[in-house]
Amino acid sequence: MRVLPPVLIRSLGTVAVTALLAACGSQTPTTASVPTLIPLTLHLGGLDGVKSAALKPQGVPFKDDGTSAVQSVHVKVYEEYSTDGGSVPLRFDADGNQNPNGSHDYIELTPAQMTAEIRLAPGTYDFEATGLTATTSGVALAYDLQSNQTITAMGGPSEDSVTFRLRTLIGEVSLEPVLPVNYVLPGQTLDLKLVVQTPEVAGGQRYAVPLTDYSFFETTGSETHGVTVLETSKLGERIQVTSPEPESGYTDVLLYQKLQGLATPNPTVATFGVTFNRPYYSTTGLGVDLERPLLEARSEGYRGVSVIFIKVRDTVGVARVEIFEGVRLVASTDDPSRPIDDDDFGTLAYTGGDPTVPHDYTVVAQDTSGNETRVQVHADVVPPYDPPKP
């Protein structure tokens, strides 16, 4: 039997060597097209918790106890990644080898295991890392995409690694006064805090987005009415309220800014609008609001549905409208689970009541100063709606 030179054996993949050895003798050996798999280390940084209460970590969202809100990072490898969601990730076997028949299409990294070794055929790949709140079915909170990473076999086993720097995804942004402010006066100076939070997770929890993971006012403009911006930072800004221009028709101050960061789904850089809006106090100088809201409410049956129509206005500003049936709260402008519809023309409507029985409602309106108006509304039974016959 003819013995293969050692150099030739090392240069062939396992499958090719097996085939050649089986074919030893009078047959001419053939080379199988099985590529050599190159080792590559995946490395994840930034998930270590900071236990000291005096220190706040950056890089990914953290809980109040200093532990990472990201508990699992799924790394997917693509020959060509596309943001339209049509890309198919490579598959891997249990040992991290690229294998079209592998059992999973991602490699998992965790705060306890922040490195992993995989083996890929030589080529150029895109690596996508998604940080989740849990191992499976977790909410995505962070993301990174490392594109055009070339893997080669030059010089023997590769010592290269791909390091992921996760950026936190943005779910909600707002500008809020540091001290409670229901209305504003010309000449008043206010500090506004910029609140940038992750998408909502179980229990309605959101986490703060690190300052490094968004841009504020750096490349985008703003729109203001009755506001002069005095200071700006990624924590917020200091503003001064100016007198309203008589010809503008504005009764509120308005500050509209833009913020940029990663948004879902299919994470890409997006622009978020951030608004601060408060009504001017109805008079100049100091004063107190002793006027309660003007409230109108009526019941009307429409096409088999009982509707409560509401109109409310106030000299300073309406804070909320609530509807009670007896003592039970059934609708509120403050509670999305008990909605009151708004037609954008100043009329509110509630359609949640059973039209087959009568109801007695109490509609309550509160202004931003705490003044309150109540109106009793009786809703009769509404006959069923019969659609026209064809």
Side-chain angles (χ1 to χ4, degrees):
M1 181 172 64
R2 183 163 53 90
V3 179
L4 294 172
V7 173
L8 177 58
I9 293 177
R10 285 198 300 269
S11 66
L12 298 175
T14 303
V15 176
V17 172
T18 304
L20 285 170
L21 293 176
C24 287
S26 60
Q27 300 180 13
T28 302
T30 58
T31 302
S33 58
V34 177
T36 301
L37 298 182
I38 308 302
L40 179 73
T41 301
L42 304 177
H43 178 72
L44 180 66
L47 293 187
D48 290 326
V50 179
K51 301 301 183 181
S52 171
L55 297 176
K56 286 291 184 181
Q58 294 278 306
V60 291
F62 279 77
K63 302 177 183 179
D64 290 339
D65 62 1
T67 59
S68 172
V70 173
Q71 290 298 300
S72 176
V73 178
H74 290 185
V75 178
K76 295 185 177 182
V77 185
Y78 301 87
E79 291 184 321
E80 186 174 355
Y81 176 78
S82 174
T83 57
D84 62 8
S87 306
V88 178
L90 301 181
R91 301 194 70 83
F92 295 88
D93 61 23
D95 296 323
N97 299 307
Q98 177 185 344
N99 187 335
N101 299 317
S103 59
H104 51 279
D105 63 357
Y106 66 87
I107 303 297
E108 183 179 24
L109 301 173
T110 67
Q113 184 67 44
M114 296 199 295
T115 62
E117 186 177 272
I118 63 174
R119 295 171 183 83
L120 292 170
T124 300
Y125 302 95
D126 297 329
F127 294 80
E128 179 188 47
T130 303
L132 307 172
T133 56
T135 301
T136 58
S137 67
V139 176
L141 293 183
Y143 183 82
D144 187 29
L145 179 65
Q146 297 287 339
S147 300
N148 300 321
Q149 302 294 311
T150 300
I151 310 302
T152 67
M154 297 298 293
S158 172
E159 296 179 355
D160 291 338
S161 65
V162 175
T163 299
F164 297 100
R165 187 268 190 199
L166 295 175
R167 294 179 62 188
T168 304
L169 300 175
I170 297 174
E172 188 172 87
V173 297
S174 63
L175 271 174
E176 302 175 2
V178 174
L179 299 176
V181 174
N182 292 328
Y183 57 87
V184 295
L185 296 171
Q188 189 174 16
T189 299
L190 302 174
D191 277 347
L192 308 178
K193 59 182 177 180
L194 179 63
V195 180
V196 187
Q197 296 181 309
T198 65
E200 186 175 299
V201 301
Q205 177 71 49
R206 294 181 186 269
Y207 300 101
V209 175
L211 304 184
T212 54
D213 291 350
Y214 61 86
S215 299
F216 188 41
F217 312 145
E218 294 180 0
T219 58
T220 56
S222 63
E223 179 183 356
T224 63
H225 293 285
V227 175
T228 298
V229 178
L230 303 178
E231 299 284 346
T232 296
S233 75
K234 284 190 174 182
L235 292 182
E237 55 190 13
R238 177 167 294 175
I239 66 170
Q240 186 172 50
V241 179
T242 60
S243 298
E245 300 176 359
E247 66 277 7
S248 68
Y250 282 92
T251 58
D252 294 6
V253 303
L254 171 65
L255 175 62
Y256 176 79
Q257 306 281 28
K258 294 180 180 180
L259 175 145
Q260 288 184 333
L262 287 182
T264 56
N266 298 328
T268 54
V269 176
T271 299
F272 300 82
V274 197
T275 302
F276 172 75
N277 184 246
R278 289 293 188 278
Y280 284 103
Y281 190 68
S282 56
T283 62
T284 58
L286 298 176
V288 293
D289 177 16
L290 300 178
E291 296 185 43
R292 63 180 185 172
L294 296 177
L295 174 64
E296 300 176 18
R298 75 180 194 280
S299 172
E300 184 174 314
Y302 178 72
R303 292 190 172 186
V305 177
S306 176
V307 184
I308 303 298
F309 290 103
I310 302 165
K311 287 188 177 182
V312 61
R313 55 191 174 90
D314 187 74
T315 55
V316 174
V318 177
R320 69 186 56 82
V321 175
E322 298 173 318
I323 302 176
F324 295 83
E325 182 177 13
V327 298
R328 184 171 68 95
L329 178 66
V330 295
S332 172
T333 54
D334 278 354
D335 188 348
S337 67
R338 299 183 175 94
I340 299 178
D341 297 324
D342 185 354
D343 65 0
D344 295 328
F345 295 98
T347 301
L348 303 175
Y350 168 68
T351 57
D354 181 355
T356 64
V357 295
H359 301 271
D360 286 301
Y361 296 107
T362 301
V363 181
V364 181
Q366 292 182 339
D367 67 15
T368 55
S369 301
N371 301 312
E372 182 179 281
T373 303
R374 304 183 185 185
V375 171
Q376 305 295 323
V377 180
H378 176 76
D380 288 323
V381 174
V382 180
Y385 169 65
D386 295 324
K389 295 182 180 180

